Amino acid sequence: MNIGVDAAALGMANAVTSSSNDVNSCYWNPAGLVNLEDHQLSLMHANYFANIAQYDYIAYAKPIDDQSAWGISMIRFGVDNIMNTTELIDSQGNIDYNRISLFSTADYGFTFSYARKLQVPGFQYGVNAKVIRRIIGKFASSWGFGFDAGLQFERNDWKFGLMLRDITTTYNVWNIDQTEYKKIANAIPGQNQDLPQSTEITAPKAQLGLSKKFIIRYDYSLLVASNLNMRFTKTNDLISTNFVSVDPALGLEFGYTDLVFVRAGAGNFQNIQQLDSSTKVGFQPNIGLGFKYRGIQVDYALTNLGNQSTTLYSNIFSVKVDLGQFRN
């Protein structure tokens, strides 16, 4: 749930907390859903770790009335066709390759979003209810639940955004198949004798955003956006204290007649320790392209899909469809 969705946003280094205003606001900031004029659908697919893992996303959102909107989305990150060799050796000590089976491991995130305008002009808020499902073949599975809250404010063409993720902490409870676990418990003598911990807790995070869109000679536009991504623990982020760590991000989107878009961004600023014990600041650059015509928008981003990935860059494609354009 931390990787991000939508090639347009990823091309801008995810600096869209304040500017997100479409179906993908289900992920970035649910408050942006109130800007929807009609039904929208979004799809994204990306390969991860040299095509070993698949990352997929689908979302749908629609306005309820002039003051509110709702949306639903699903994310799947999984690795399929993993060989299960726990029964490779039979009871006679012989290797039997016919005993190899295949399984998948996958994480699912289901999000239900609601947004509404406040009575104060320019303010709007949104909330997410999240259900997390994680499956490791027939070995283990878990259920998790959590909530997000978002706020957006616009004044004099400046947009401000605040996204609070996992505000109540997201709590995951694992169910481990003890029969399957016993098959591997003695694979290495003296290790794996105790069942793994059965609960996981995801700590809250906050994202603060600022953006403004400039119109240049009617046909051209420039969206400038920034984010401060905060985690309430000490990390290697550019700004790091015992209370909070801050990773800034900057994104740009150049548009022509709301038809063609060129994007760039920089984020994931980290203090990286070198072999000589010195510290160097590293960051992640991103670029992207977009094309929109008659309610269909296709976006592409060249980016590092996972912040801690050893894979330098990933190609990401997404499609957004304004279903209102196809009504008779």
Side-chain angles (χ1 to χ4, degrees), residues 158 211-216 220-224 253:
W158 286 94
S211 64
K212 185 174 183 179
K213 190 172 186 178
F214 300 89
I215 304 299
I216 307 169
Y220 302 93
S221 65
L222 178 63
L223 173 63
V224 181
E253 179 187 75

Side-chain angles (χ1 to χ4, degrees), residues 9-242:
L10 293 167
M12 296 177 62
N14 303 344
V16 296
T17 300
S18 61
S19 61
S20 183
N21 60 3
D22 58 18
V23 59
N24 297 306
S25 297
C26 291
Y27 179 90
W28 294 112
N29 189 339
L33 290 174
V34 298
N35 296 296
L36 287 171
E37 296 181 357
D38 213 315
H39 305 229
Q40 282 191 354
L41 176 71
S42 181
L43 302 166
M44 188 193 81
H45 172 75
N47 295 322
Y48 198 29
F49 295 130
N51 298 332
I52 295 175
Q54 309 297 315
Y55 184 56
D56 297 287
Y57 161 78
I58 182 171
Y60 169 81
K62 62 171 290 188
I64 299 173
D65 50 37
D66 293 339
Q67 302 295 318
S68 59
W70 69 273
I72 185 171
S73 65
M74 185 194 77
I75 293 174
R76 181 187 187 270
F77 186 90
V79 179
D80 301 306
N81 297 322
I82 304 171
M83 288 193 295
N84 176 9
T85 60
T86 58
E87 298 180 1
L88 177 62
I89 301 176
D90 62 23
S91 59
Q92 305 299 319
N94 300 313
I95 296 177
D96 184 356
Y97 292 103
N98 292 321
R99 296 168 64 91
I100 296 177
S101 58
L102 301 176
F103 70 97
S104 297
T105 177
D107 292 349
Y108 297 85
F110 303 91
T111 302
F112 306 88
S113 307
Y114 174 79
R116 188 171 184 85
K117 293 181 180 179
L118 292 170
Q119 296 297 322
V120 181
F123 277 96
Q124 54 205 39
Y125 75 91
V127 293
N128 286 339
K130 299 187 296 187
V131 178
I132 310 299
R133 176 63 168 166
R134 308 182 70 184
I135 301 172
I136 305 177
K138 57 184 178 181
F139 303 102
S141 62
S142 78
W143 287 99
F145 305 91
F147 294 91
D148 304 330
L151 183 70
Q152 287 183 337
F153 171 66
E154 181 175 0
R155 185 166 186 176
N156 298 327
D157 295 327
W158 286 94
K159 294 184 178 182
F160 305 84
L162 175 65
M163 179 63 170
L164 302 175
R165 297 187 181 275
D166 306 299
I167 54 175
T168 58
T169 70
T170 294
Y171 190 73
N172 284 272
V173 179
W174 283 91
N175 178 32
I176 300 170
D177 189 314
Q178 297 192 33
T179 301
E180 293 296 327
Y181 183 77
K182 289 179 180 178
K183 295 178 182 179
I184 61 172
N186 294 314
I188 302 178
Q191 298 187 24
N192 299 325
Q193 300 303 306
D194 299 322
L195 288 173
Q197 186 173 343
S198 60
T199 59
E200 288 180 313
I201 296 177
T202 302
K205 296 175 287 295
Q207 296 169 321
L208 183 65
L210 173 66
S211 64
K212 185 174 183 179
K213 190 172 186 178
F214 300 89
I215 304 299
I216 307 169
R217 295 183 179 179
Y218 302 102
D219 290 337
Y220 302 93
S221 65
L222 178 63
L223 173 63
V224 181
S226 63
N227 255 33
L228 294 178
N229 304 311
M230 293 169 279
R231 289 181 285 180
F232 299 98
T233 185
K234 189 175 181 63
T235 69
N236 288 330
D237 289 340
L238 184 63
I239 303 170
S240 183
T241 68
N242 290 328

